[in-house]
């Protein structure tokens, strides 16, 4: 499982590139400025790195990157869950236009940057040329140890946030007891006032409707009676007139068929008039003037208006205000219950501390193992007798990541006391230590492809040859690709890719192509610093390849 192919279109100074990649250990070499790191940059974009418009080749509208991997079986459930096709290979594509807008696809289906990033760790592990800088940053050092130990601090971080929340609530409640008590009493008094009214949602509108009906009862009854009179009582009335028209048409309907629809309409109209008269009689029998009910409604409406004015709210808002006050009072009462808050804080601390104890034990087991492995690797990188140490210092207060400050210490030679790497190691030594750590931690990783981007800077000679051998050894189990300027490293590679640039018109374009046999000898001779046509340089290059 590895990176099979990478294709670029109009990326930086590459116009078009379609490169097949092999298993084992491969190197990328080329003159300064040829763009040796372009493939690495493109691959990072394919894996979800942030894109900028500057990656588009000058004169082009957009660039395109495609990276095809052997699809690890472990990715199939994730691909199915996310709705992507599951195929034998995994194809990642990404485009960036001159406005910096970006689009991405996974196996032909549109994808987000977050989805690309979710795939990255399981596909490629990239060690940058400035990897040594992380050795002096506490957070990066801790993350490296945790990754080596397989520690996941997510649960601890969540437990820390919960404990801090409980602790803050307890501190605030303790500090504001008097203020909260006063606020509780005020809310309780206001709630009691509104509870006497017991307003319901929508009740204000219903009360006004009932009041309007009772206040106008006589007018409503008069209107109902007038309607009954017009429809059924006086002579002539609506029902009688409709009945007369209906009778006349029915008598002639057998002669004129078109009367049938009109007869049906009049029959329906007569039925509706009769139903209406019946309903109005029912209304009149059940509606009467009720002064007592009207007075009761007047009193209740007056209460609503009085309380609404007192609390400067609209009357129809009183039911919601009451519910809000009750919720606020419940929250304050919880804050006043110091015993409950203390118990909640203790429980949160217990959960958090249990997570930290587990993390501490795992770090204490992993630290000496990592120390030993890196120390052994240092011996082969020109630091004989040197010692690498992962030190754990307990903090006064726990942090979200644990009780420990993790620090890398180094002694450059036998007998010296290990001290923080940033204080005692030179730039070259830091590069070698970073390489040693990269090699050690890479052997434990899950990514099928390892990329080393000029991590061999600051070394040379026999040490450089050792670095090449280490990378070739890694290449036996996983695909390794290294950008290097060292001929000793390049000579150890199973595959050699040459990056070159040339002027095409007024543009500088870069190309990448595999080289072997005599072409590889010539490139190594150039890297050795002599003329690639010099017999001495060529002989030295052949010697490196045969070593």
């Amino acid at each position: 499982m590895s990176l099979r192919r990478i294709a670029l279109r109009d990326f930086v100074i590459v116009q078009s590139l379609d490169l097949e990649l092999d298993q084992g250990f491969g190197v990328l070499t080329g003159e300064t400025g040829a763009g040796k790191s372009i493939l690495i940059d493109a691959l990072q974009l394919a894996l979800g790195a942030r894109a900028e418009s500057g990656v588009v080749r000058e004169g082009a509208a957009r660039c395109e990157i495609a990276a095809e991997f052997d699809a690890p079986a472990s990715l199939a459930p994730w691909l199915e869950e996310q709705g992507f096709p599951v195929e034998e290979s995994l194809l990642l594509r990404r485009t960036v236009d001159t406005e910096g807008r970006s689009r991405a696809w996974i196996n032909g289906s549109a994808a987000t940057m977050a989805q690309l990033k979710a795939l990255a760790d399981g596909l490629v592990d990239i060690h940058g040329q400035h990897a040594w800088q992380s050795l002096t940053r506490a957070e990066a050092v801790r993350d490296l140890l945790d990754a080596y130990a397989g520690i996941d601090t997510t649960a601890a971080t969540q437990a820390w946030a919960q404990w801090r929340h409980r602790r803050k609530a307890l501190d605030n409640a303790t500090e504001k007891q008097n203020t909260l008590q006063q606020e509780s009493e005020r809310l309780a008094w206001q709630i009691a006032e509104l509870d006497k009214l017991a307003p319901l949602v929508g009740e204000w509108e219903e009360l006004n409707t009932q009041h309007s009906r009772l206040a106008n009862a006589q007018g409503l009854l008069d209107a109902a009676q007038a309607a009954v009179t017009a429809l059924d009582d006086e002579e002539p009335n609506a029902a009688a007139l409709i009945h007369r028209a209906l009778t006349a048409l029915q008598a002639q309907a057998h002669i004129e068929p078109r009367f049938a629809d009109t007869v049906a309409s009049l029959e329906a109209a007569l039925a509706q008039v009769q139903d209406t008269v019946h309903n109005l009689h029912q209304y009149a029998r059940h509606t009467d003037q009720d002064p007592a009910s009207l007075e009761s409604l007047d009193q209740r409406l007056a209460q609503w208006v009085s309380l609404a004015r007192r609390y400067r709210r609209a009357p129809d808002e009183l039911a919601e205000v009451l519910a809000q006050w009750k919720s606020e009072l419940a929250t304050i009462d919880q804050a006043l219950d110091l015993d409950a808050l203390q118990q909640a804080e203790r429980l949160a601390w217990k959960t958090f501390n249990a997570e930290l104890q587990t993390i501490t034990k795992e770090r204490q087991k992993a630290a000496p193992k990592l120390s030993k492995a890196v120390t052994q690797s240092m011996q082969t990188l020109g630091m004989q007798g040197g010692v690498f140490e992962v030190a754990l210092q307990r903090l006064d207060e726990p942090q979200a990541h644990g009780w420990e400050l993790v620090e890398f210490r180094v002694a450059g030679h036998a007998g010296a006391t290990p001290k923080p790497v940033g204080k005692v190691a030179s730039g070259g030594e830091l590069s070698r230590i970073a390489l040693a750590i990269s090699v050690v931690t890479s052997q434990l990783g899950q990514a099928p492809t390892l990329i080393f981007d000029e991590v061999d800077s600051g070394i040379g000679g026999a040490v450089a040859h050792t670095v090449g051998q280490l990378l070739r050894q890694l290449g036996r189990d996983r695909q390794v690709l290294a950008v290097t300027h060292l001929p000793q490293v390049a000579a150890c590679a199973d595959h050699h890719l040459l990056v070159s640039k040339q002027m095409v018109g007024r543009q500088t374009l870069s190309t990448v192509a595999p080289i072997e046999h005599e072409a590889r000898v010539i490139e190594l001779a150039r890297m050795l610093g002599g003329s690639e046509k010099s017999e001495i340089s060529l002989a030295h290059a052949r010697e490196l390849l045969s070593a």
Side-chain angles (χ1 to χ4, degrees):
M1 298 184 293
S2 59
L3 176 62
R4 292 181 180 179
R5 183 177 68 90
I6 185 165
L8 309 181
R9 299 291 182 273
D10 296 319
F11 182 73
V12 191
I13 58 173
V14 174
Q15 184 174 34
S16 179
L17 174 68
D18 199 331
L19 189 65
E20 301 282 343
L21 295 168
D22 296 312
Q23 294 287 348
F25 171 37
V27 291
L28 274 164
T29 70
E31 295 181 359
T32 302
K36 292 189 292 297
S37 294
I38 282 180
L39 283 183
I40 313 302
D41 297 338
L43 187 57
Q44 288 178 315
L45 279 176
L47 295 169
R50 182 183 176 187
E52 296 180 354
S53 59
V55 299
V56 182
R57 186 177 64 83
E58 186 176 349
R62 66 174 186 175
C63 69
E64 179 176 347
I65 303 114
E68 183 181 2
F69 296 83
D70 291 314
S74 58
L75 283 181
W78 183 89
L79 290 170
E80 290 180 348
E81 179 184 342
Q82 299 293 318
F84 296 114
V86 178
E87 301 174 357
E88 291 184 2
S89 61
L90 180 68
L91 179 62
L92 310 182
R93 284 184 58 232
R94 189 167 178 191
T95 62
V96 182
D97 65 19
T98 52
E99 299 296 323
R101 292 187 295 263
S102 172
R103 297 182 64 192
W105 296 265
I106 297 175
N107 281 349
S109 297
T112 65
M113 296 308 108
Q115 289 170 326
L116 290 181
K117 290 178 182 178
L119 290 172
D121 289 343
L123 297 172
V124 177
D125 188 4
I126 298 176
H127 299 263
Q129 58 183 316
H130 301 295
W132 62 269
Q133 292 176 345
S134 66
L135 302 183
T136 60
R137 298 200 304 268
E139 181 180 354
V141 166
R142 184 184 64 250
D143 289 346
L144 197 153
L145 174 62
D146 288 350
Y148 179 81
I151 294 173
D152 184 354
T153 59
T154 302
T157 301
Q158 294 172 345
W160 178 81
Q162 183 69 6
W163 170 61
R164 293 281 293 178
H165 173 72
R166 297 295 186 188
R167 184 176 178 180
K168 184 178 181 180
L170 176 60
D171 291 344
N172 287 341
T174 303
E175 181 182 341
K176 299 177 181 178
Q177 281 294 289
N178 292 336
T179 303
L180 290 173
Q181 185 62 47
Q182 293 173 0
E183 180 68 9
S184 174
E185 292 171 358
R186 181 186 69 80
L187 281 172
W189 184 83
Q190 292 177 177
I191 289 169
E193 282 266 284
L194 279 188
D195 266 338
K196 293 176 184 177
L197 180 65
L200 301 174
V201 175
E203 184 183 359
W204 171 253
E205 292 80 3
E206 179 62 26
L207 288 173
N208 278 281
T209 300
Q210 292 179 18
H211 184 273
S212 179
R213 187 180 296 122
L214 286 173
N216 295 279
Q218 186 58 55
L220 295 173
L221 285 171
D222 290 346
Q225 184 56 52
V228 169
T229 298
L231 292 172
D232 197 47
D233 288 350
E234 66 183 9
E235 287 298 336
N237 58 66
L241 293 172
I242 294 173
H243 188 270
R244 185 185 304 171
L246 180 60
T247 300
L249 292 176
Q250 285 175 331
Q252 301 299 323
H254 65 286
I255 299 173
E256 178 53 77
R258 285 183 293 179
F259 285 172
D261 289 343
T262 304
V263 167
S265 297
L266 288 173
E267 287 175 339
L270 182 60
Q272 288 179 348
V273 168
Q274 292 169 342
D275 286 345
T276 301
V277 170
H278 175 76
N279 291 336
L280 288 172
H281 280 306
Q282 289 286 100
Y283 178 81
R285 282 196 294 271
H286 292 89
T287 301
D288 56 3
Q289 296 179 349
D290 187 353
S293 295
L294 182 59
E295 182 180 359
S296 176
L297 281 172
D298 280 335
Q299 292 174 353
R300 185 157 178 79
L301 287 170
Q303 283 181 293
W304 277 77
V305 173
S306 175
L307 288 170
R309 287 175 178 170
R310 179 179 302 173
Y311 297 115
R312 299 180 180 179
R313 300 296 183 96
D316 60 357
E317 294 178 355
L318 290 184
E320 295 178 358
V321 168
L322 178 59
Q324 178 185 341
W325 284 349
K326 287 182 177 180
S327 176
E328 291 176 1
L329 181 60
T331 301
I332 291 174
D333 287 344
Q334 288 179 354
L336 287 169
D337 189 352
L338 292 181
D339 289 340
L341 290 173
Q342 288 169 348
Q343 183 177 355
E345 189 273 341
R346 285 194 295 269
L347 180 60
W349 164 254
K350 183 178 180 181
T351 301
F352 174 46
N353 193 43
E355 291 288 343
L356 296 195
Q357 296 303 322
T358 300
I359 289 173
T360 293
K361 290 179 181 178
E362 293 300 317
R363 285 175 178 163
Q364 289 173 342
K365 286 197 305 183
K369 293 180 181 178
L370 180 57
S371 300
K372 181 179 179 180
V374 176
T375 296
Q376 290 176 343
S377 187
M378 286 170 58
Q379 311 310 305
T380 64
L381 295 174
M383 299 182 73
Q384 290 82 0
V387 175
F388 180 82
E389 179 182 287
V390 181
L392 304 178
Q393 296 178 325
R394 189 174 178 86
L395 299 167
D396 294 333
E397 286 283 335
Q399 300 297 315
H401 54 74
W403 274 109
E404 298 83 22
L405 171 67
V406 182
E407 186 177 60
F408 287 168
R409 299 174 180 175
V410 65
H413 54 272
T417 301
K419 295 180 180 179
V421 293
K423 295 181 179 179
V424 299
S426 65
E429 288 175 327
L430 282 171
S431 293
R432 278 177 276 172
I433 294 169
L435 179 59
I437 293 173
S438 295
V439 171
V440 170
T441 55
S442 294
Q443 289 172 328
L444 300 173
Q446 299 301 314
T449 298
L450 305 177
I451 295 177
F452 294 88
D453 187 7
E454 295 196 23
V455 295
D456 51 15
S457 60
I459 61 176
V463 175
H465 182 67
T466 301
V467 169
Q469 289 180 320
L470 284 173
L471 295 176
R472 182 164 59 186
Q473 182 179 347
L474 280 176
R476 293 173 184 167
D477 300 317
R478 301 159 79 181
Q479 184 186 42
V480 176
L481 186 62
V483 177
T484 184
H485 64 283
L486 298 177
Q488 296 91 338
V489 172
C492 293
D494 301 310
H495 317 286
H496 195 144
L497 300 172
L498 177 62
V499 183
S500 57
K501 62 179 180 179
Q502 56 187 340
M503 290 296 297
V504 178
R506 295 184 178 182
Q507 281 192 326
T508 300
L509 298 180
S510 181
T511 61
V512 183
I515 58 172
E516 55 185 4
H517 308 311
E518 193 62 21
R520 190 176 181 190
V521 172
I522 293 173
E523 170 61 7
L524 289 178
R526 182 199 63 77
M527 295 174 70
L528 285 165
S531 168
E532 59 266 31
K533 296 182 180 180
S534 163
E535 287 300 325
I536 296 176
S537 297
L538 292 171
H540 191 181
R542 292 189 180 94
E543 183 180 353
L544 284 177
L545 286 172
S546 62

